[in-house]
Amino acid sequence: MLHQKKILLGITGSIAAYKSALLARELQRRGAEVRVIMTPSATEFITPLTLATLTGHPVHSDFTENKDSGEWTNHVELGLWGDAFLIAPATAQTLSAMVSGTCDNFLMAVHLSSRCPVIAAPAMDLDMFQHEATQSNLKILKSRGVPIIEPESGALASGLEGKGRMAEPESIANWLENWFRSKAPLAEKKVVITAGPTHEPIDAVRFISNRSSGKMGYALATELNALGADVHLISGPVQLSAPAGVQVTRVETAIEMHTIALKSFETADIGIATAAVADYRAKSSSSVKLHRDEIPTAIQLQENPDILADWGKRKRGTQVLIGFALETDEGVESAKSKLARKNLDFIVLNSTQNEGAGFGTDTNQISIFEQNGKSHIFDLKSKKEVARDIVTILLTHLPQ
Ligand code: C5P
C-alpha cells in the first residue's frame, strides 16, 4: 500500500524525534518516497544530516536555502508534492499551531499550503497530553478531518508513566498502510480469482493438464491487492509464489477448485476466472503408480464442472463477473458467445495467433468485450500492464 506513495514527513521538537529516523527508514522499506521537513527546534533533537542521508533528499527547516544568494525553499511545491503530510512527532505546540493556522516556521507554512491530507502522531508528556487545551485541539483537528495516530502509554522521557509516547515507527507505518488501503479505489471489495491449470490424475504420478503458467491471474491478484481489494486467489499447480497481501488457496483438480470457488464467490463482489481448468478428468484413476503394462491405452473421460458458468448462474445484485477466453483462431465470436452463455460482465480474449500472447509468456495481447456491447482492443503489453487495463475496465462496472 505504501509502494510509490509520496510521504512528506514533518518532524517537530520532541525527544520522540529520534524515532523519526527509524520511521523514515520503515516507510522507505515499504516502498514509500520520503521527504523531510523539520521545525528549528526538531533540529536540536536530531540532525537534518541524518534524515537527509537516510532519505536521499535535502531536509528543509528554513524558508531560505541559501541566505547569501537569496535562494528560498518553495513551501508550496513541497505542500503539493506529498500524497500525505505526516507530522510525527507532533508536539502540543504544533497541534495548537495547526488549530490556529499559525505560520511562524517553515513546517507550518507547508502545513497551510499542503493540499494532501495531514496526519498527526502526537508525542508529549502525559500531563501535556491530558491537558484540556491539548484535548480540545485534538478534537478540533479530528473534526476538520485530520487523522490522529494516538500516542501509546508507557515510560516517558520525564520519568513519568502514562499516555504520550509517540506510536512506534512500525505501528505508524501500519496505520498509514491501512489508511491508504481504506482510501483505495477497491477498498472493502472482495475479489476471488481462479488461476493456473488443473491436474487431473490418471494414477499417483500421472495427470492430464495444459500449459497454463498462472501468470495472468497472479498479475491481476497483485494489481487488485495494490488497489485495496481483499483478494482470494485459488491457484492450480504453478511455479509462482504467493503475491504479498493475497490469500492463496492451492488446489490440484478442477473439482477442488470448483468447491472452493463456489464457496468464496458467495461473499465476493467480483469473480475473475483466469484458470485454464481441464475440461475433462479421467473417469477412474489409480491411487498407486500403474506399471507400464497396467496403463490403459484408452482413458475414459468425464466432464469437469464449469466453474465460471456456475458463478454466472449464482451471480446476484452488483456482483461483477469476468471470464477469459484463449483461442487458437481469431476467437471473437466464440468469446462473445461465452460472454452471454456464462452470464459475464465482460470477457478478456487472447488469441495464441498473436505472438507473445497466451500461455507461459510474460506478455499478452488482449481484446475485451463487454456485455453492454462495448469492445476494446489493446496492444501487446506485459501481463502487469494488461492487468492494469483489465482493472481499469473493471472499475467502470462497480456500483458508484
Ligand atoms: O474453457 P473455456 O474456453 O470455456 O474457458 C472460458 C472461461 O471459463 C475462462 O475464464 C475459464 O477460466 C473458465 N472456465 C472455468 N471452468 C471450466 C472451464 C472454463 O471456470 N471448467
Side-chain angles (χ1 to χ4, degrees), residues 194 273-279 304-308 323-325 327 338 342:
T194 64
T274 70
V277 184
D279 292 313
N304 268 330
D306 188 323
I307 299 168
L308 182 56
F324 275 69
E327 307 290 345
K338 281 175 200 170
K342 302 196 188 193

Side-chain angles (χ1 to χ4, degrees), residues 194 254 257-258 272-280 304-311 322-327 334 338 341-342 344 347-348:
T194 64
M257 188 177 270
H258 183 249
I272 308 178
T274 70
V277 184
D279 292 313
Y280 290 89
N304 268 330
D306 188 323
I307 299 168
L308 182 56
D310 283 348
W311 276 353
I322 305 169
F324 275 69
L326 177 81
E327 307 290 345
S334 153
K338 281 175 200 170
R341 202 172 65 242
K342 302 196 188 193
L344 311 180
I347 191 156
V348 181

Side-chain angles (χ1 to χ4, degrees), residues 8-121:
L8 193 55
L9 176 61
I11 307 178
T12 70
S14 152
I15 179 59
Y18 87 93
K19 287 192 200 165
S20 303
L22 302 172
L23 175 58
R25 255 282 183 259
E26 184 59 23
L27 296 174
Q28 286 177 309
R29 197 183 66 77
R30 298 183 191 209
E33 199 181 329
V34 181
R35 297 222 177 160
V36 175
I37 48 181
M38 299 171 84
T39 58
S41 63
T43 62
E44 290 173 24
F45 288 95
I46 184 165
T47 71
L49 181 63
T50 306
L51 274 311
T53 311
L54 287 176
T55 60
H57 292 288
V59 169
H60 305 288
S61 57
D62 202 351
F63 288 94
T64 46
E65 202 82 65
N66 184 335
K67 284 200 172 74
D68 298 333
S69 65
E71 217 179 312
W72 67 294
T73 309
N74 192 333
H75 57 91
V76 176
E77 201 179 289
L78 270 172
L80 295 179
W81 174 82
D83 293 316
F85 181 15
L86 169 66
I87 306 184
T91 58
Q93 160 69 27
T94 298
L95 294 175
S96 166
M98 286 167 78
V99 168
S100 62
T102 308
C103 189
D104 58 353
N105 63 43
F106 181 72
L107 188 142
M108 294 316 302
V110 176
H111 166 251
L112 288 187
S113 30
S114 64
R115 287 195 188 158
C116 63
V118 180
I119 300 157

